[in-house]
Amino acid sequence: MEKLIESLPKPILALLAILIGIGVFMMINPPHTVCDTQEEAMREAQKGNLFPTEVKKNKIPPTIGRAKEACQIGNSAGSCYEYFSSLKEIANEVGKGSSECTAQLYGVKEVSSALNDGIELMARLAWGVKPPEPGFERFGWMQEAEIAVFCRLKSTYIRANGEEAWNALRLKIFSKLPGEELPPPTDPAVAVVEPKKATAVMSELDIFNRSIFSVRCETY
């Protein structure tokens, strides 16, 4: 191999060296795509909400974490307003991307984590501590504004990941919903009994009809 290299004319060797150098450079610094540009724009737009900001070299955590905690504790339209607004903002930013870039935008760890958690939390809050009756009760305290946010999250998820992935996520969330409400324990010494999950006592169709997943999003 060494003799072969030595036998090559210097112009050929120089050309090979240049080509190898270009190849290594492209491996280390891959070309910047349209989707990369859209991802950078999304990250910039969501600084403070989904991504941390930096002030004088100090990182300030994004506000969505605090908003989510307030929503979980308050469990009402007022306490969840900021959190749902944050989720809607993120979904809208992903929606601004071109169709070929949606999967990359949604695939950003912070984005997928926030939106997936948001879908699950909204489903849990609407469901409550026991299976609701079919009809308007399946939305809990949520009104048109909150349901519209859920539908926006659904639309964004399906656009990025497809219907099959949405159905898989729905079934995963179904497995976490309570299927019964147990009375509060009267004896503190007795261990708290975990209520049965909805999937253990109800059919998938019954759970679907009682959950926010059954909403007809075309009307919102």
Side-chain angles (χ1 to χ4, degrees):
M1 186 67 175
E2 193 174 320
K3 288 183 178 180
L4 176 62
I5 293 172
E6 289 176 353
S7 67
L8 291 173
K10 288 184 178 180
I12 300 295
L13 287 173
L15 179 61
L16 286 174
I18 291 170
L19 291 175
I20 292 170
I22 291 173
V24 171
F25 178 80
M26 291 185 70
M27 287 177 64
I28 298 173
N29 300 287
H32 205 68
T33 67
V34 172
C35 294
D36 293 334
T37 301
Q38 293 182 16
E39 181 182 328
E40 286 179 5
M42 179 189 69
R43 287 178 177 274
E44 187 63 31
Q46 285 300 304
K47 276 186 178 179
N49 180 37
L50 182 61
F51 300 100
T53 52
E54 194 168 309
V55 178
K56 295 180 180 178
K57 297 185 179 180
N58 294 319
K59 278 195 173 182
I60 302 174
T63 58
I64 193 169
R66 173 182 50 76
K68 180 184 177 183
E69 185 178 356
C71 178
Q72 289 174 304
I73 295 172
N75 192 7
S76 67
S79 59
C80 290
Y81 177 80
E82 184 182 358
Y83 179 54
F84 290 175
S85 295
S86 294
L87 293 174
K88 185 179 178 181
E89 277 186 35
I90 298 167
N92 286 342
E93 282 298 327
V94 175
K96 287 179 184 177
S98 54
S99 57
E100 65 270 19
C101 297
T102 306
Q104 177 173 325
L105 299 182
Y106 200 105
V108 173
K109 183 180 69 173
E110 292 87 348
V111 173
S112 57
S113 177
L115 296 187
N116 290 3
D117 286 352
I119 292 166
E120 179 174 332
L121 182 55
M122 292 192 81
R124 284 174 170 271
L125 294 177
W127 183 271
V129 296
K130 64 178 181 178
E133 293 299 320
F136 285 109
E137 283 191 33
R138 72 190 191 280
F139 302 135
W141 49 260
M142 295 185 193
Q143 301 297 316
E144 286 189 7
E146 290 79 26
I147 297 170
V149 172
F150 180 83
C151 287
R152 185 73 181 97
L153 299 184
K154 175 184 177 181
S155 172
T156 303
Y157 187 99
I158 292 176
R159 187 183 179 206
N161 306 295
E163 286 274 0
E164 191 174 332
W166 173 256
N167 291 333
L169 177 65
R170 174 171 56 80
L171 292 177
K172 181 181 177 182
I173 294 172
F174 280 1
S175 69
K176 299 178 182 181
L177 300 175
E180 60 181 351
E181 181 182 18
L182 298 177
T186 54
D187 186 352
V190 177
V192 177
V193 178
E194 183 74 19
K196 291 180 180 178
K197 300 300 181 184
T199 48
V201 295
M202 303 165 69
S203 69
E204 180 187 328
L205 180 59
D206 198 12
I207 298 172
F208 176 80
N209 288 333
R210 294 168 186 262
S211 75
I212 195 173
F213 285 96
S214 62
V215 63
R216 295 176 63 87
C217 281
E218 58 268 24
T219 63
Y220 291 89

